[in-house]
Amino acid sequence: MMKFRARFVKWLTLTLFFSFVAPAAYAGASSPDIAIFWTVKIDSDVSPYVVPKLNVTMVPLRVISENIGAAVGWNQRTKTVTIRKANAVIMLTNGQTYALVNGSRLPLPASVQDRNGRIMVPLRFVGEQLGLDVVWNQKAKTITLRSGGASPSVPGGGGGDKGLKGAWISTVFNLDWPSAGSYGNTERQKAEFAALLDELQEMGLNAVFVQVRPAGDALYPSALVPWSKFLTGTQGKAPDYDPLAFMIGEAHKRGMEFHAWFNPFRASTDANIGALAPNHAARLHPDWIVESGGKLYLNPGIPEVRRHIVDAIMEVVNGYEIDGVHLDDYFYPSSGDFPDEAAFKAYNPEGLEPGDWRRSNINAFVKQLGESIHAAKPDVEFGISPFGVWRNRSVDPTGSDTKASVTAYDNMYADVRTWIRNEWIDYVAPQIYWSLSFANARYDKLVDWWAQEVRGTDVKLYIGHSPYKLGTNEAGWQSAQEIVRQLEYNKRYSEVKGDLFFSAKDLRSNPLGVADALREYYLGDE
C-alpha cells in the first residue's frame, strides 16, 4: 500500500581499486584489500573485502550512511543492522542467512559481519534493495550504482501478498505507550515508541494500529478536542512535539503501515467532568453526554454528535499521511443502562424500535465517515474491529454456531453485515478472542462465518487475535502454539488478508514465548 515518495536523482559511482600489496585474511583465506573512492577517497580503518567463493563485496556500514544517504542503526543486543532510505527498511542480523526487507524475509548472500569493531554489509544486496542498479565492471574493477529509473521493489510493509501483520497500540491508561513515567519527557516518549516498533518488526509485523483518540481527546494538535491526558498527565496540556507526526514518521521509516485508531463515542473513562479540559465536549455540550456504568459517552443518537466525531477524525485524515482509519467496537456499551430516551424521541422520524434506532444511528455514522474518508483520500483504508460474534444462530439462523452471552448486533448495536454488504468499510477485523477449543465460541467456527460474510464483496477480512489471554485458565490458552494454530487455520480462506494482535504489550512481554513463536512463524529459522 505504501509507495516510495522519493527516489535518488543522481548517478552514484563507487570505485573499488583492488590492491594485492597487503592481502587481508577472511575465514582462513586471502582476500584483496579494497580502497573505496567516491569522488574523493573514503577513509576507513577497516577495508572492504570480498568473501571468498561467494564473491560478495562487504563494505563498512559507514559507506551506506555517508555516501548512499541512508539512515543506519546498529542494535548491539540483537546484533542487527537497520538501514532506512525513503520507505525501504532493511534489517540484517549477524549470523542470519536472510534479511528482512520491510518485514519480508529474503535470502542473504553473506551475513552482516563485525570486523574489528566495524559493521560490514553486502554492498550489492543493500544497493539493490534500495532500488539501485548495481553494475560490476571487471576490466576497470569498479562497481557503479545507478538510480532514478526504476522503483525499488519493497516486499511487505503494506500487507501485499504476505498480508497485513499488525498490533494494536493502546494509549488509554498508558497501556502500551507512552509510559506514565514519560509524562513531560519528549525524548523518552520518542525512544519508547521507536523501541516498540523495532521489537514488533523483529517479530515479523508490518503494521501498527495506534490509539490516537482514547476518550474524546487527541494525541495530536486539534481544533476540536483537547490534548489527551495520557501524554502529559493532564488533559488539555500540550506536549512540546506532535506525537502523531512523530509516530507516523517512525513507522514509515521502517516500512510499516500506520493506522490511526479512534475510539469514537467514549467521552471519558470515568464520570468526573470536573477533571476534563474546558474544551472537552462534555464541558461544552453536556446535552451530548450519557453516563453509563460510571463512564461518559457521546450520544450516537444525536446527529450533531456524529458530525462532530466525523469532523474530528477528518482532521487527521486531511492533516497526516496515515495509511488507515480504524475504529474499535465501542459504539454503545455492551451492558448496563444507557439513558438516551430524550434523543430517541427527538431524532426518530421513522418511529423505529429502540434497538433498530440505535443500529440506524451507528449505520449513519459509519456511512458518513466512510464517504468522508474516501472523498478526501481514496487510498486511506477505513476499517472497523467489531466484537467477534455478530449474532448467535439460536437468535438468527444466519448467525454463527456460537453461544456468546454478548453479540455485536444485539448488545453493541453494530450492524456489521450492513456495513459489509454496502461496502462502507474497506476491511473488517473481528475480535475473535477465543481458542480453537472454547466450546461457546470456537475460533474456527467464527473464522468460517466471517469468511463467508465478506465473500463476494470488496471488503477484506483481518482477524483479531488475543495474545493477552495466554497463560490464563480459559480453555486453550496454555501454549503459545494456540496462536500459531489459529494463523494456520486462517490459511484455509483466501478472504483472510491479515492478522491483528491485542495488544503490543502482550507481545513484548512474550507470555509462553509467543513473540518467539511469531518470529519463527513469520520469519522462519535463521
Side-chain angles (χ1 to χ4, degrees):
M1 177 177 175
M2 287 181 292
K3 302 178 177 66
F4 277 86
R5 298 176 175 86
R7 293 194 179 110
F8 300 133
V9 294
K10 61 182 180 180
W11 288 65
L12 302 175
T13 302
L14 172 64
T15 305
L16 294 87
F17 290 89
F18 287 74
S19 169
F20 292 86
V21 176
Y26 176 80
S30 292
S31 176
D33 286 340
I34 302 169
I36 302 176
F37 287 81
W38 202 298
T39 306
V40 297
K41 187 175 185 297
I42 300 172
D43 295 323
S44 176
D45 53 356
V46 176
S47 298
Y49 55 86
V50 175
V51 179
K53 298 182 180 179
L54 298 178
N55 291 323
V56 176
T57 303
M58 306 293 288
V59 298
L61 191 58
R62 177 182 168 191
V63 169
I64 305 300
S65 62
E66 293 185 358
N67 298 281
I68 296 180
V72 301
W74 169 251
N75 187 320
Q76 179 63 31
R77 180 178 62 83
T78 62
K79 307 295 184 185
T80 298
V81 168
T82 302
I83 301 169
R84 302 184 179 95
K85 178 71 176 178
N87 284 343
V89 182
I90 307 168
M91 302 180 73
L92 310 95
T93 299
N94 181 264
Q96 286 185 343
T97 57
Y98 65 87
L100 298 181
V101 181
N102 284 3
S104 292
R105 177 180 170 182
L106 295 180
L108 194 61
S111 179
V112 60
Q113 301 289 333
D114 183 342
R115 188 157 188 168
N116 297 333
R118 296 294 181 267
I119 307 305
M120 312 293 288
V121 296
L123 176 62
R124 177 178 291 275
F125 179 87
V126 171
E128 289 180 347
Q129 298 310 315
L130 293 177
L132 305 177
D133 293 326
V134 182
V135 180
W136 166 247
N137 185 315
Q138 175 66 27
K139 182 178 180 180
K141 296 294 191 288
T142 64
I143 292 177
T144 302
L145 307 180
R146 295 189 297 227
S147 66
S151 298
S153 175
V154 185
D161 294 336
K162 295 293 185 179
L164 181 139
K165 302 181 281 289
W168 279 287
I169 298 177
S170 297
T171 58
V172 66
F173 303 120
N174 302 107
L175 291 177
D176 290 307
W177 180 88
S179 68
S182 73
Y183 287 166
N185 188 331
T186 295
E187 293 309 311
R188 179 172 172 180
Q189 289 184 358
K190 289 182 175 181
E192 287 178 355
F193 191 76
L196 186 157
L197 291 185
D198 286 342
E199 289 186 36
L200 294 177
Q201 191 168 53
E202 287 173 7
M203 295 176 206
L205 303 194
N206 59 20
V208 287
F209 292 68
V210 182
Q211 193 175 37
V212 300
R213 176 190 167 94
D217 50 10
L219 271 75
Y220 53 90
S222 169
L224 299 174
V225 297
W227 281 100
S228 175
K229 70 177 181 180
F230 301 116
L231 288 167
T232 62
T234 303
Q235 190 177 83
K237 182 179 180 181
D240 61 2
Y241 75 116
D242 183 340
L244 180 54
F246 169 76
M247 291 188 291
I248 293 170
E250 288 297 302
H252 287 173
K253 279 198 306 187
R254 291 164 173 79
M256 302 177 79
E257 289 189 12
F258 185 97
H259 294 251
W261 164 19
F262 298 83
N263 188 296
F265 294 103
R266 183 168 61 195
S268 180
T269 56
D270 56 38
N272 184 6
I273 293 180
L276 300 177
N279 62 331
H280 191 282
R283 298 281 294 273
L284 295 175
H285 304 282
D287 55 312
W288 288 3
I289 301 300
V290 175
E291 182 178 345
S292 177
K295 299 180 179 67
L296 301 180
Y297 294 86
L298 288 159
N299 190 343
I302 301 175
E304 193 176 1
V305 166
R306 300 196 296 267
R307 178 75 262 174
H308 164 77
I309 297 171
V310 170
D311 289 344
I313 293 173
M314 291 306 296
E315 279 190 316
V316 173
V317 174
N318 291 317
Y320 295 88
E321 291 301 314
I322 58 172
D323 298 292
V325 168
H326 180 79
L327 305 183
D328 54 30
D329 59 346
Y330 279 84
F331 298 108
Y332 285 89
S334 60
S335 62
D337 185 40
F338 193 84
D340 57 355
E341 293 83 2
F344 176 71
K345 292 178 181 178
Y347 304 105
N348 186 13
E350 298 179 11
L352 300 174
E353 292 299 317
D356 291 332
W357 175 74
R358 287 179 176 177
R359 279 183 286 272
S360 74
N361 296 331
I362 302 304
N363 285 348
F365 169 72
V366 171
K367 182 176 186 289
Q368 184 180 16
L369 178 57
E371 289 174 348
S372 298
I373 293 168
H374 294 140
K377 291 186 178 179
D379 290 338
V380 171
E381 280 198 328
F382 171 43
I384 299 178
S385 179
F387 187 73
V389 178
W390 177 71
R391 298 193 91 185
N392 293 313
R393 186 177 294 173
S394 60
V395 175
D396 186 326
T398 66
S400 55
D401 183 14
T402 51
K403 298 177 182 178
S405 58
V406 171
T407 66
Y409 184 92
D410 296 294
N411 298 92
M412 299 170 184
Y413 304 99
D415 187 5
V416 187
R417 173 173 284 172
T418 293
W419 311 342
I420 293 171
R421 290 184 176 179
N422 287 285
E423 297 183 355
W424 295 337
I425 55 178
D426 297 306
Y427 69 84
V428 63
Q431 300 169 24
I432 307 183
Y433 289 172
W434 304 280
S435 72
L436 286 153
S437 55
F438 186 75
N440 287 345
R442 265 178 37 190
Y443 178 87
D444 53 339
K445 291 184 177 182
L446 284 165
V447 173
D448 297 345
W449 189 88
W450 285 102
Q452 175 62 39
E453 201 66 16
V454 302
R455 190 166 297 145
T457 74
D458 288 331
V459 177
K460 292 182 287 187
L461 176 61
Y462 303 147
I463 302 296
H465 298 269
S466 55
Y468 72 89
K469 285 190 173 181
L470 286 167
T472 66
N473 293 326
E474 186 174 303
W477 296 106
Q478 287 69 52
S479 167
Q481 287 304 303
E482 173 65 28
I483 295 287
V484 174
R485 286 190 289 269
Q486 292 180 2
L487 297 175
E488 281 295 314
Y489 191 83
N490 293 351
K491 290 181 178 179
R492 298 187 181 197
Y493 291 101
S494 61
E495 289 83 6
V496 178
K497 303 297 185 182
D499 322 309
L500 285 172
F501 300 94
F502 189 84
S503 66
K505 64 179 174 56
D506 301 292
L507 295 178
R508 300 177 80 193
S509 62
N510 200 20
L512 304 182
V514 67
D516 304 313
L518 288 179
R519 188 177 298 110
E520 169 69 18
Y521 183 81
Y522 287 135
L523 305 177
D525 294 327
E526 295 186 3

